């Protein structure tokens, strides 16, 4: 999967959790939770959604390193 396609998938999944998010305002190298004000339950649901959609395991031990959209795209891209 190309990075742009993967980014679009991540953003689409994000919008399923936080539909008010304007994808045009997202900064790919800024902490995502700060940008969209997700609480820990929303963040967990977001990661579970990515797991279900992409069939990629995201162990809890990796959650802390997945801060930005770039982090997510790189991480998921390496596992696909």
């Amino acid at each position: 999967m190309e990075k742009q396609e993967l980014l679009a998938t991540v953003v689409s999944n994000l919008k399923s959790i936080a539909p008010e998010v304007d994808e045009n305002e997202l900064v790919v190298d800024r902490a995502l939770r700060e940008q969209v004000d997700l609480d820990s339950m929303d963040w967990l649901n977001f990661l579970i959604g990515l797991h279900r959609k992409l069939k990629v395991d995201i162990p809890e031990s990796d959650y802390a390193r997945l801060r930005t959209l770039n982090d997510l795209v790189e991480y998921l891209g390496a596992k696909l």
Side-chain angles (χ1 to χ4, degrees), residues 17-18 36-48:
I17 301 295
V36 297
D37 195 29
L38 294 178
D39 63 23
S40 57
M41 186 58 79
D42 288 339
W43 184 252
L44 181 60
N45 286 329
F46 169 65
L47 294 176
I48 290 170

Side-chain angles (χ1 to χ4, degrees), residues 8-70:
T9 300
V10 171
V11 170
S12 172
N13 187 62
L14 176 63
K15 289 184 70 84
S16 72
I17 301 295
E20 71 280 3
V21 169
D22 181 350
E23 61 193 73
N24 296 317
E25 293 183 4
L26 294 172
V27 179
V28 295
D29 59 352
R30 186 171 160 218
L32 188 56
R33 287 183 67 179
E34 294 172 9
Q35 291 186 71
V36 297
D37 195 29
L38 294 178
D39 63 23
S40 57
M41 186 58 79
D42 288 339
W43 184 252
L44 181 60
N45 286 329
F46 169 65
L47 294 176
I48 290 170
L50 288 173
H51 162 73
R52 288 183 179 151
K53 190 173 283 187
L54 297 170
K55 310 293 186 231
V56 171
D57 287 328
I58 306 173
E60 189 174 340
S61 59
D62 290 345
Y63 289 2
R65 62 188 246 204
L66 302 174
R67 299 189 61 223
T68 69
L69 286 171
N70 277 342

